[in-house]
Amino acid sequence: MEVQKFEAVNQDGEPFSFSKLKGKVWVADFLFTNCDTVCSPMTANMASLQKKLAVAGMDAELVSFSIDPDHDQPGRLKEYAKGVEADFSNWNLLTGYKQPFIESFANKSFMAAAAKLEGSNQFVHSTSFYLVNKDGVVLQKYEGASNPPYNEIIKDIKTLEE
């Protein structure tokens, strides 16, 4: 699956678009800061992946898309990620688009669900980490909420970076 072009802002309120990822290998996930179930462990796992990539001397980008853009403003995303000691040099948490866009984007680009639960502040969304190659094509998805296969992800990134 090819990732659709997108325009967003990151946790610093800076514009961030698909073009910034061209020619890079990246790992994506979907989250929202009000999540009362899987997002906290997923974000901690993404932080662990980031640390493992650094130890391996690898340069992959990490991208977390908020599926609650109305609530998740840049400052909120930054505080949320600081809770897991995120390094923002290669991890961008994105917002700044409309709800219908992110729901469609998740579905079309990642075959991932993203929808607000009726009468709730919670959302249904994928708990996977998605590996995207330098051409913007999703090649693989991995469990992101519990026991991610870090060694497999790192091996797959290494293969793509060669």
Side-chain angles (χ1 to χ4, degrees), residues 94-109:
L94 303 182
T95 187
Y97 32 73
K98 299 280 183 240
Q99 189 67 41
F101 166 78
I102 193 62
E103 291 181 11
S104 167
F105 174 78
N107 189 276
K108 288 183 179 153
S109 295

Side-chain angles (χ1 to χ4, degrees), residues 13-57:
E14 296 166 351
F16 192 95
S17 66
F18 179 74
S19 62
K20 288 200 187 223
L21 296 164
K22 204 77 179 135
K24 297 179 179 181
V25 175
W26 50 291
V27 177
D29 73 346
F30 296 90
L31 58 78
F32 64 107
T33 61
N34 262 357
C35 180
D36 57 20
T37 55
V38 294
C39 297
S40 290
M42 282 176 61
T43 304
N45 291 340
M46 189 68 93
S48 293
L49 175 60
Q50 185 178 47
K51 288 176 179 74
K52 291 174 188 301
L53 287 168
V55 167

